[in-house]
Amino acid sequence: MEIRTFAEQILFEPDLAAKLAAPLDLSDAAPGDPLRVIPAAPARAPGLAFRRAVGAAKVKFPKGKALERDEGRGTVLHFFANHELLALELMALALLRFPDAPPAFRRGVVGIMADEQRHLRFYLDRMQALGVEFGQVPLSDFFWTALRDVPDPASFVAGMSLTLEQANLDFALRYAKAFRQVGDEATGAVLDKVLADEIRHVAHGRVWFERWKDPADDLWTAWLKALVFPMTPARAKAAPFDVGVRAQAGFTPDFIDRLRVFTRSKGRAPTVHWFDPSVEEALRDPRAPIHPRIRELAADLETLPAGRAG
């Protein structure tokens, strides 16, 4: 099977079993032309389609005592399973969008996709054992919308390998420990395997990004330039921040220190509330001067919005 055919199967076949099928022998003799029309979403069965949770339907990421229950641990793995499926679909999209990328890079991505398929199977098996069905929790499209339009392979690995997969180093360590603390050794062992693979994935992205970046820039500077909103370095880590796994992935102490102390936004658009006591007067007649009593009211109430702050 051609790599292009494999990528098309992952991206355009809605059946989950097809997305999990891993051909034993792939060639890249016919990478084809770049995919011109990026789908709004990868093909998925109706039960696994993206859907945003609102109001009471929102599901908080379980932690603490919630992990003592099968459902809580299964819900954590549900989030992880969606992330693995998204990574698989985004890598397929990258293979189709960038057929002229170096063959060695493309072969590396295919190898990583096989790991992602294996991780997804791990999570699905553990979820089933814990009584949680894939699709019963709303499935976020954030990874997809954040990376589907990146302009080139360097920007893709900046967002995927150096950001999302790097954060997974911390998450895998954190939850392997958390699951073991509640007696779930089976899932802890799964997360150990995921961590070992993720270190290699991050290293693969780092090596290629360093080849593609401007030689005048250090890795940190080049990474900041390549990240496409809403990706920021804040999304490349979680608490507790682990230095050792990043060193294993080949990051320098300087890069690790810069990321460790990085504290800016994760890229979420802010919500701004503006208090304007004269708005009704302006709507009534925007040309009329503001009445003196409205000015007095504004002065009396100007500190009122402080109650919404924090």
Side-chain angles (χ1 to χ4, degrees), residues 11 27 109 127 138 160 207 226 253 272 303 306:
L11 190 59
S27 66
V109 170
M127 285 163 55
M160 175 59 74
V207 167
V272 178
T303 60

Side-chain angles (χ1 to χ4, degrees), residues 142-158:
F142 175 76
F143 288 7
W144 178 264
T145 57
L147 294 180
R148 65 187 288 270
D149 295 313
V150 292
D152 50 49
S155 296
F156 176 74
V157 297

Side-chain angles (χ1 to χ4, degrees), residues 205-221:
R206 178 193 58 76
V207 167
W208 281 101
F209 187 76
E210 288 184 332
R211 293 180 186 178
W212 289 327
K213 74 177 182 63
D214 186 336
D217 291 333
D218 61 19
L219 180 60
W220 178 265
T221 301

Side-chain angles (χ1 to χ4, degrees), residues 102 104-105 108 112 153-154 157-158 161-162 165-166 198-214 219 222-223 246-252 255:
F105 169 75
I112 291 172
V157 297
S161 307
L162 302 189
E165 289 193 297
Q166 185 178 176
E198 292 291 5
I199 292 171
R200 291 189 294 99
H201 299 177
V202 175
H204 173 269
R206 178 193 58 76
V207 167
W208 281 101
F209 187 76
E210 288 184 332
R211 293 180 186 178
W212 289 327
K213 74 177 182 63
D214 186 336
L219 180 60
W223 184 38
R246 289 175 169 83
Q248 291 180 57
F251 292 114
T252 65
F255 181 96

Side-chain angles (χ1 to χ4, degrees), residues 240-260:
F241 181 88
D242 193 272
V243 172
V245 290
R246 289 175 169 83
Q248 291 180 57
F251 292 114
T252 65
D254 177 67
F255 181 96
I256 295 171
D257 285 343
R258 289 190 186 190
L259 178 58
R260 180 175 56 82

Side-chain angles (χ1 to χ4, degrees), residues 12 16 22 25 30 35 63 89 125 145 149-151 164 168 226 300:
F12 297 121
L16 183 60
D25 188 24
L35 184 69
K63 56 185 177 181
E89 292 163 338
D125 288 345
T145 57
D149 295 313
V150 292
L164 298 178
N168 207 30
D300 290 340

